[in-house]
Amino acid sequence: MQKIIHRASSRGQADHGWLKSYHTFSFANYYDPSRMNFGVLRVLNDDEVAPGMGFGKHPHRNMEIISIPLEGDLEHSDSMGNTAVIREGDIQTMSAGTGVSHSERNKNRDQKVKFLQIWVLPNKVNVTPRYDQITLEKDKLKDQFLQIISPDPGDDGIWIHQQAWFHLGEFSEGNSVSYTLKNKENGLYVFLLEGTCQVGDEILNRRDGLGIWEADTVTFEINASSKILLMEVPMGN
C-alpha cells in the first residue's frame, strides 16, 4: 500500500470576506506543483459562504462537478434551466461537458452555508451537459459506507462520466469498518469530515486527507465519532 497524507493545516487558504475556502489541491491563487490532483480527483474545496452571498454565473467545460452541502442552504441556478436548493443530506452533480454556466449562493441572510466542491476529470469529453441531485436516507449512513457516486446510471447514488465511486458514512466510536476498492488499479482518497480515525499507522483528524493506492481493502478504526467521505478514482485518466 502506498499513501500520501494531506493534513488539514497544510491546505491552501483563501479569504475573500464573503467566501472562506480551503483547497486540498491547487486552485485559483493557491498553487503547489506537488498538490495538483490525486489521480482524476482534481479539486477538493471546503467552502464557507457568508449569508446572502455567493458565486455569480460562471462557465465550466469538460468536468464532473460534485457539491456536498454540510450546513445551511445552497441555491443553484444554471444555463440548462435548473434552479434548486440543496442542503445537508443532498448530493448534487453537474457534467459540464460541452459547456455550462451556473451560479451558487447562500439562500439565507441569517446563517452561513458550508459545502464541499469537488471536481473530477471525466473519461469522456464534450458530452451533453447534465444536472442531477439526490437526497440521502440518513439512517443508511449509520455505521456503514453508503454509495453516493458511481459510473453506472442504474447503481446507487448519482452517476458521473468516470470510473469513480464515492461513499459517505457516519461511524460511532469504537467501530472498525473496511472498504474494498471496486478496481484494484484505482486509488482511494479519504477525507475525514468530522472526528478521529486510524488507517494503518496514520491517525486522521478533522479535515485531514489521505490518498491510498496499490491497496485492495482499507480498514478504518474509529477513535471518536466520525464522518468519512471516500473517493475511489482512477490514478490516470
Side-chain angles (χ1 to χ4, degrees):
M1 182 176 77
Q2 302 294 316
K3 64 184 179 181
I4 185 168
I5 184 80
H6 295 142
R7 295 295 178 193
S9 59
S10 75
R11 296 178 296 172
Q13 298 182 42
D15 187 346
H16 302 286
W18 66 271
L19 168 68
K20 293 181 173 64
S21 185
Y22 291 89
H23 310 313
T24 295
F25 304 109
S26 294
F27 186 85
N29 293 329
Y30 167 60
Y31 176 73
D32 181 340
S34 69
R35 298 274 287 264
M36 293 304 297
N37 60 290
F38 178 77
V40 301
L41 178 60
R42 175 61 190 87
V43 167
L44 174 54
N45 287 351
D46 186 1
D47 291 342
E48 178 183 299
V49 179
M53 303 299 289
F55 303 88
K57 191 156 282 191
H58 56 283
H60 294 282
R61 289 179 61 89
N62 291 323
M63 192 67 71
E64 301 295 300
I65 300 170
I66 300 152
S67 296
I68 303 178
L70 304 175
E71 180 182 313
D73 301 321
L74 183 69
E75 186 170 42
H76 165 98
S77 179
D78 64 45
S79 56
M80 294 177 281
N82 299 297
T83 299
V85 176
I86 57 173
R87 50 186 58 86
E88 183 182 4
D90 294 338
I91 308 293
Q92 178 197 79
T93 60
M94 190 172 65
S95 297
T98 54
V100 65
S101 295
H102 76 136
S103 62
E104 298 161 297
R105 72 177 186 93
N106 186 342
K107 184 174 175 59
N108 300 313
R109 296 189 174 275
D110 59 351
Q111 66 182 88
K112 299 174 183 176
V113 66
K114 300 179 182 180
F115 70 105
L116 300 182
Q117 182 177 165
I118 302 167
W119 295 6
V120 173
L121 298 167
N123 59 9
K124 186 184 296 185
V125 298
N126 297 327
V127 300
T128 301
R130 58 179 289 273
Y131 173 91
D132 202 357
Q133 73 177 78
I134 57 171
T135 299
L136 305 177
E137 296 181 46
K138 191 168 176 61
D139 61 335
K140 291 187 176 180
L141 296 171
K142 181 65 176 173
D143 291 323
Q144 62 183 342
F145 286 117
L146 176 67
Q147 182 174 289
I148 60 174
I149 300 286
S150 84
D152 183 357
D155 210 346
D156 292 339
I158 307 179
W159 69 278
I160 62 172
H161 293 284
Q162 186 52 271
Q163 294 297 306
W165 290 264
F166 286 22
H167 289 74
L168 187 64
E170 298 177 355
F171 300 93
S172 305
E173 181 178 347
N175 274 7
S176 177
V177 60
S178 295
Y179 176 81
T180 299
L181 276 76
K182 308 288 187 182
N183 183 339
K184 66 180 181 180
E185 301 301 319
N186 283 351
L188 183 69
Y189 197 86
V190 180
F191 192 60
L192 186 62
L193 287 163
E194 302 291 345
T196 306
C197 71
Q198 186 160 348
V199 184
D201 59 357
E202 294 286 357
I203 295 178
L204 302 182
N205 294 300
R206 184 179 186 271
R207 296 314 206 255
D208 285 346
L210 175 66
I212 299 167
W213 64 102
E214 296 179 10
D216 292 333
T217 299
V218 178
T219 299
F220 302 83
E221 304 296 337
I222 310 301
N223 298 339
S225 295
S226 296
K227 186 173 184 178
I228 306 172
L229 174 63
L230 302 182
M231 294 166 277
E232 178 183 338
V233 296
M235 295 305 288
N237 194 27

